[in-house]
Amino acid sequence: MTTENTEKRSSAFAYAPAPESRSVVDIAPSYGLFIDGEFVEAADGRVFKTVSPSTEEVLSEIAQAGEADVDRAVKAARKAFGKWSALPGSERAKYLFRIARIIQERSRELAVLETLDNGKPIKETRDADLPLVAAHFFYYAGWADKLDHAGFGANPRPLGVAGQVIPWNFPLLMLAWKIAPALATGNTVVLKPAETTPLSALFFADICRQAGLPKGVVNILPGYGSAGAALVEHPDVNKVAFTGSTAVGKAIARQVAGTRKKVTLELGGKGANIVFDDAPIDQAVEGIVSGIFFNQGQVCCAGSRLLVQESIQDELLDSLKRRLSTLRLGDPLDKNTDIGAINSAEQLSRITSLVEQGEAEGAERWSPACELPSAGYWFAPTLFTNVTQAHTIARDEIFGPVLSVLSFRTPDEAVAKANNSQYGLSAGIWTEKGSRILAVANKLRAGVIWSNTFNKFDPTSPFGGYKESGFGREGGRHGLEAYLDV
Ligand code: TAP
């Protein structure tokens, strides 16, 4: 996969410290569905395997929810809703605070588990995912007794049973984004984790038991192939929350049309990271790297299009290539690993085929010299130059460690190119001029805009998109509205 202008990796593999031990966490050989406070087999007894994407080792066998199980879980959630929604907010808050504290106490186990099941580097699960997960539960615990003061009028009411479908790129964090606001507002939950990453959600089910959460308030249904649709279509589900691909988001919007179910969709993106000629180059390079290589680029708000002002393009690309040559790809449990595994064979083949299309359409591909492990699913950090707006790699979400570089001359051209996308989720602006940050940000059609940084998250900030990136907001005070009849 290397190209002519590939640079030699210098000392990237010289030092290999002991990896974080997988013995930190006990993984059972099999797990049931979590319904009404108990782990149970699927009604039809079906199971599927979850594998570690960095080794292809089978981690565990998971019960596979079908339609009957969805019905069972929705009934349990409906039954629990009466008492749960009638609790004073201060009581619901106590459970959420307890869950948040247990997550902190067990964060080492959870970080290792997430890294094993997802393939992302331990330094990301440890320093980003887990702290953000706990923070999300703490933040919404704080809202539970203040809903009358959230600006939605007096006495806002919960909707009922929330059916939630989450993706594999941030399994536990997306669970937190969905479950914390739902419970704070008095709803009960049936959540379907992605089929490639069910383990941290099942571990979370155990945390719910440890926290003494009443039975049926949270139900977790791993599934594969039909559980998602059965949940969304269940007539006793009042609220649907989905994060994932735009194609499935559109299907869900069609499924719930005319049902009065409240829906939030958080879908794909093709974020533009815009670097002006007065930007601090070294800082911008770090932001570009974290923007597209964090979590192997499997991030809906990734800065997957670099828009660089023409006058600094050569200098910036030289710095960027030097920096990419220092990234360490390999064992995700190694604390020094920067680039982990791609989540699944399917995702790897999607990335590979889009990258091949990029080359076939005439863009120039470059990667640092990089040895890929023989087992598992891996893709080297890749950047494309000579990219035009018409190229597929400039338009489609690749959801992998692949950066498409385009240039611009004027701020207006930068804005026009950034907005030239079916998506509108994220953008970044790099410049020393505060006035330019405000002027450009006001013209960008993106739900989240960072300036002089990228991929920073906070539970107090609403997150969500424009256009085909979906609708509704998660996080912050806005995130409460999705779960309330206001
Ligand atoms: P996605 O499309 O993201 O989601 C698949 C999930 O949706 C599964 O859990 C599936 O459950 C459920 N689902 C499928 N059809 C459904 C329906 N009609 N109603 C309700 N739920 C339904 O899946 P993927 O194939 O893993 O990823 C494909 C692409 O999506 C990636 O390449 C990436 O571009 C994008 N993606 C985006 C994000 C974010 S954060 N925006 C996250 C992950 C992936 P069942 O198996 O039970 O049907």
Side-chain angles (χ1 to χ4, degrees):
M1 54 115 256
T2 50
T3 55
E4 276 175 356
N5 53 355
T6 289
E7 287 178 6
K8 267 268 169 270
R9 174 177 288 257
S10 50
S11 59
F13 287 112
Y15 166 63
E20 177 74 271
S21 169
R22 62 163 294 175
S23 65
V24 164
V25 62
D26 283 331
I27 303 178
S30 65
Y31 287 91
L33 312 169
F34 185 65
I35 300 178
D36 208 16
E38 307 293 337
F39 286 98
V40 296
E41 282 181 24
D44 60 9
R46 284 202 295 173
V47 293
F48 66 99
K49 291 181 170 57
T50 186
V51 302
S52 166
S54 60
T55 59
E56 297 173 62
E57 162 205 11
V58 174
L59 294 171
S60 188
E61 203 170 69
I62 313 291
Q64 180 175 337
E67 223 169 289
D69 306 299
V70 169
D71 189 52
R72 217 170 9 146
V74 172
K75 284 198 170 96
R78 173 61 58 196
K79 195 165 120 232
F81 175 67
K83 279 195 187 152
W84 180 249
S85 59
L87 281 183
S90 55
E91 288 301 310
R92 290 198 307 273
K94 283 186 198 164
Y95 287 107
L96 288 168
F97 278 125
R98 213 177 287 158
I99 288 172
R101 280 195 300 270
I102 299 173
I103 288 169
Q104 284 183 318
E105 284 159 19
R106 305 189 70 179
S107 63
R108 231 178 128 215
E109 289 168 84
L110 277 164
V112 170
L113 188 68
E114 194 83 314
T115 283
L116 284 168
D117 209 17
N118 169 281
K120 65 172 76 185
I122 188 74
K123 74 177 171 195
E124 291 184 9
T125 46
R126 184 193 61 190
D127 300 341
D129 297 58
L130 262 299
L132 285 168
V133 169
H136 218 79
F137 277 98
F138 277 118
Y139 175 75
Y140 278 107
W143 269 117
D145 61 353
K146 301 174 193 69
L147 299 176
D148 289 348
H149 310 283
F152 303 122
N155 201 18
R157 292 175 184 281
L159 298 168
V161 176
Q164 307 178 322
V165 180
I166 58 167
W168 42 261
N169 54 344
F170 293 92
L172 197 60
L173 186 58
M174 290 302 102
L175 173 150
W177 282 24
K178 300 279 181 290
I179 291 185
L183 297 197
T185 46
N187 299 274
T188 55
V189 164
V190 180
L191 176 135
K192 195 200 98 64
E195 63 268 15
T196 57
T197 52
L199 290 179
S200 55
L202 293 164
F203 194 100
F204 177 82
D206 194 46
I207 288 178
C208 291
R209 294 219 290 203
Q210 200 183 336
L213 192 73
K215 290 180 174 196
V217 172
V218 166
N219 303 274
I220 307 283
L221 291 189
Y224 190 8
S226 62
L231 179 57
V232 165
E233 285 172 355
H234 196 288
D236 207 25
V237 163
N238 307 98
K239 152 82 193 174
V240 171
F242 172 77
T243 298
S245 67
T246 295
V248 172
K250 285 181 180 177
I252 290 176
R254 284 192 293 271
Q255 280 159 247
V256 300
T259 63
R260 284 179 54 88
K261 289 178 188 174
K262 200 163 177 173
V263 186
T264 38
L265 299 176
E266 208 269 276
L267 310 175
K270 194 73 188 175
N273 214 348
I274 308 169
V275 184
F276 288 97
D277 58 7
D278 63 339
I281 297 274
D282 290 348
Q283 210 180 314
V285 164
E286 289 309 308
I288 294 162
V289 169
S290 88
I292 185 62
F293 300 113
F294 176 57
N295 199 11
Q296 296 70 249
Q298 301 165 125
V299 181
C300 50
C301 54
S304 51
R305 288 182 296 158
L306 171 62
L307 301 187
V308 53
Q309 198 151 17
E310 208 173 78
S311 50
I312 57 160
Q313 183 174 7
D314 292 346
E315 182 191 355
L316 183 87
L317 285 179
D318 284 348
S319 295
L320 184 57
K321 286 179 175 177
R322 271 198 304 277
R323 179 68 180 93
L324 294 189
S325 300
T326 69
L327 293 178
R328 292 163 187 269
L329 177 148
D331 181 0
L333 281 178
D334 185 328
K335 289 168 189 148
N336 287 302
T337 290
D338 301 298
I339 309 279
I342 300 302
N343 182 249
S344 64
E346 292 72 31
Q347 189 58 23
L348 179 59
S349 92
R350 252 179 238 136
I351 296 169
T352 308
S353 97
L354 279 161
V355 163
E356 284 168 3
Q357 203 168 338
E359 280 186 298
E361 289 177 10
E364 197 171 314
R365 174 180 175 179
W366 181 92
S367 287
C370 186
E371 212 175 292
L372 302 182
S374 51
Y377 317 125
W378 304 91
F379 203 88
T382 298
L383 70 81
F384 274 107
T385 49
N386 283 342
V387 180
T388 73
Q389 294 183 87
H391 283 149
T392 308
I393 53 166
R395 290 187 284 111
D396 287 9
E397 183 177 50
I398 299 175
F399 226 64
V402 182
L403 180 65
S404 300
V405 183
L406 297 104
S407 65
F408 67 88
R409 287 190 181 157
T410 65
D412 282 347
E413 190 187 344
V415 168
K417 285 186 170 168
N419 285 340
N420 183 15
S421 170
Q422 71 191 86
Y423 297 112
L425 190 53
S426 68
I429 305 168
W430 297 83
T431 172
E432 282 200 332
K433 289 196 187 76
S435 57
R436 179 179 279 164
I437 293 170
L438 295 174
V440 171
N442 277 330
K443 292 179 193 159
L444 291 175
R445 295 292 287 167
V448 187
I449 299 172
W450 288 286
S451 67
N452 295 327
T453 187
F454 209 92
N455 269 343
K456 288 282 185 290
F457 305 95
D458 190 287
T460 63
S461 286
F463 184 95
Y466 286 98
K467 301 192 263 185
E468 292 196 11
S469 292
F471 49 80
R473 296 291 178 264
E474 295 186 302
R477 186 188 66 83
H478 299 70
L480 296 166
E481 190 175 353
Y483 291 93
L484 288 170
D485 192 357
V486 293

